[in-house]
Amino acid sequence: MIMSKYPSATGSSVSTCGKTVCRLFLSSLLLAMVFAMTSCASVSETKLARATVFYPPLPNPPRIQYLTSFSGPNDIVENRSNFLDALIGKENEATESIKKPYGVAIRNGRIYVADTRGGGYAVFNLEQRRFEIVQGSGGGKLLKPINISIDVDGNKYVTDTGREQVVVFDKDDRYVRAYGTSDEFKPSDVAVDGDRLYLTDLKHQQIQVLDKASGSVLFKIGKPGSKEGEFVFPTNLTIGQDHYLYVTDTGNFRIQKFTLDGQYVRSFGGIGASFGQFARPKGVAMDHAGRLYVVDAAFQNIQVMAPDGKLLMFFGSAGDDPESMNLPTQVVIDYDNLQYFQAYADPRFKLEYVILVANQFGNSKVNVYGFGRFEGADYSADAPAVAVPEQK
């Protein structure tokens, strides 16, 4: 291209093309600044403007409120402005956002999400309003992470069905070690209790219990089958406040309860579409009162059960609304990070704990719900759900 040049006021040569580019740049800069100032609201302002959703709905005394959801950096970075998007082009959201999550965990103001298609786990830093993805490298390279659990020291235990190992990262997301050798197991979930690791083994249809220090197998729970204490695709597990092990026996459509030494105690649920029955159970969690939360990926909801197995309520449904569930997988209950979520709640609804639910599809990859009490509501008719320690 031929560029004509004219003398500038200082006697130097400036191209007319350069002047045009400069004017366009300044115009774009000004437009972007105006656009960012007038249209860019904070994440919290945008989400607080959404319709309030309670379970059960008002005028019933509500126990659970949908609070917010996390799918990518736009859901966490405060005032992620349209300024840079307009100036240099929008970043590739498909690369940054979670693709197909399964597991979720939360600790010290950070939400961790295992992304089966992203080759790593995402970190939503609620305090610093930052987002990042940890994929690991070298010996810690993740292939198909399924679930993630965190111990008291902040170490993350990631089950990876691509590697057929449990991969460990420290509190600073640095690779530490991996458990498992070739053909030893195919873990889908892991729970840490003191010096033991409890993991679901899809390959052998049982629970393997490892020594956390050495990685050696201490003992195994169950075998393939449908009798008491047997499994068909054990997918998820949790150690409850009552110090029992709860395992989602997906292929048998039930939750099984064991002592931490592997003794069978009882089962919850069964195949069907009635209250307290399951079609495709996945994640399981327990609150401090002994209530069990069980994900059903087919019904796309969560059933809340008393310690004796009685159904107390259920919440969630399929759909395109932010609070909807779309092939939910994991559920986690957290009491320690309420300060980051109370602002999302209705001012009259006081949170007692939060419930995180991972969805494999849809726009809301990780939904956050709050369990609490609505100011002025009468909860006297609530059935008690206190976990009574059983004889071991």
Side-chain angles (χ1 to χ4, degrees):
M1 179 175 63
I2 299 175
M3 296 186 294
S4 302
K5 294 191 177 183
Y6 297 87
S8 68
T10 59
S12 61
S13 244
V14 180
S15 72
T16 55
C17 182
K19 288 182 177 180
T20 302
V21 171
C22 185
R23 291 192 187 99
L24 288 173
F25 176 82
L26 291 174
S27 298
S28 298
L29 181 64
L30 180 61
L31 286 171
M33 292 177 66
V34 172
F35 183 73
M37 292 172 62
T38 58
S39 65
C40 182
S42 71
V43 172
S44 57
E45 288 172 343
T46 300
K47 297 197 173 190
L48 283 173
R50 291 174 175 169
T52 302
V53 178
F54 285 114
Y55 308 91
L58 294 170
N60 303 288
R63 295 314 313 251
I64 293 172
Q65 181 189 344
Y66 165 74
L67 301 177
T68 187
S69 59
F70 297 93
S71 300
N74 287 339
D75 298 313
I76 186 68
V77 179
E78 193 75 35
N79 287 324
R80 176 172 167 135
S81 78
N82 299 308
F83 171 68
L84 288 179
D85 291 346
L87 183 63
I88 62 175
K90 192 172 184 179
E91 297 179 54
N92 189 345
E93 279 191 33
T95 300
E96 292 184 323
S97 299
I98 302 171
K99 297 178 176 63
K100 189 178 179 182
Y102 192 107
V104 61
I106 182 170
R107 181 179 171 84
N108 293 338
R110 291 173 173 83
I111 298 173
Y112 300 87
V113 186
D115 190 354
T116 61
R117 287 185 180 170
Y121 60 87
V123 184
F124 294 88
N125 189 319
L126 302 176
E127 182 176 357
Q128 299 178 9
R129 313 298 298 180
R130 293 175 53 193
F131 173 87
E132 62 179 316
I133 296 177
V134 178
Q135 294 181 316
S137 60
K141 179 68 175 177
L142 295 171
L143 300 179
K144 191 176 181 179
I146 300 295
N147 255 309
I148 181 168
S149 297
I150 307 176
D151 68 15
V152 294
D153 297 318
N155 298 308
K156 295 99 182 172
Y157 297 77
V158 182
T159 56
D160 191 313
T161 56
R163 295 179 51 147
E164 298 193 348
Q165 290 182 313
V166 178
V167 188
V168 187
F169 297 84
D170 67 12
K171 61 183 179 62
D172 297 314
D173 300 308
R174 296 173 298 201
Y175 170 66
V176 176
R177 64 170 298 177
Y179 295 92
T181 58
S182 178
D183 201 44
E184 185 175 3
F185 45 67
K186 187 175 183 179
S188 64
D189 199 3
V190 60
V192 186
D193 182 67
D195 57 1
R196 292 178 177 180
L197 299 182
Y198 294 78
L199 58 94
T200 53
D201 181 5
L202 298 176
K203 184 185 292 289
H204 302 102
Q205 311 289 318
Q206 59 187 184
I207 308 303
Q208 302 224 27
V209 184
L210 310 185
D211 178 77
K212 189 167 73 170
S214 66
S216 60
V217 177
L218 299 175
F219 59 93
K220 302 177 182 181
I221 303 173
K223 62 181 181 179
S226 299
K227 297 178 181 178
E228 293 181 349
E230 298 178 346
F231 301 105
V232 176
F233 289 108
T235 54
N236 293 73
L237 52 74
T238 190
I239 296 174
Q241 296 295 319
D242 55 0
H243 303 292
Y244 283 88
L245 177 69
Y246 294 84
V247 182
T248 304
D249 187 8
T250 300
N252 285 318
F253 312 98
R254 63 189 179 186
I255 304 296
Q256 296 203 64
K257 178 179 180 179
F258 298 86
T259 69
L260 294 183
D261 291 326
Q263 298 300 310
Y264 172 81
V265 178
R266 63 164 301 174
S267 296
F268 302 85
I271 186 171
S274 298
F275 295 141
Q277 295 180 323
F278 305 112
R280 198 186 307 161
K282 290 291 185 73
V284 58
M286 177 179 277
D287 69 9
H288 288 179
R291 289 176 284 249
L292 273 178
Y293 285 69
V294 184
V295 174
D296 196 305
F299 295 148
Q300 307 203 83
N301 67 6
I302 290 181
Q303 297 194 53
V304 186
M305 309 173 79
D308 61 1
K310 177 184 177 182
L311 180 68
L312 299 174
M313 67 173 292
F314 63 88
F315 67 96
S317 61
D320 297 323
D321 296 321
E323 71 275 8
S324 299
M325 298 183 188
N326 200 319
L327 286 184
T329 50
Q330 181 64 298
V331 57
V332 168
I333 291 173
D334 178 72
Y335 288 80
D336 300 327
N337 295 273
L338 295 184
Q339 68 270 30
Y340 300 107
F341 299 104
Q342 185 63 59
Y344 292 103
D346 186 288
R348 297 161 293 177
F349 193 68
K350 181 65 175 178
L351 300 182
E352 297 176 21
Y353 56 83
V354 293
I355 307 153
L356 285 74
V357 181
N359 298 287
Q360 290 194 295
F361 297 101
N363 295 323
S364 299
K365 295 300 195 298
V366 177
N367 284 354
V368 183
Y369 306 85
F371 183 97
R373 290 176 176 264
F374 194 85
E375 181 181 321
D378 181 11
Y379 293 94
S380 60
D382 272 12
V386 178
V388 179
E390 301 182 23
Q391 295 296 323
K392 297 186 180 181

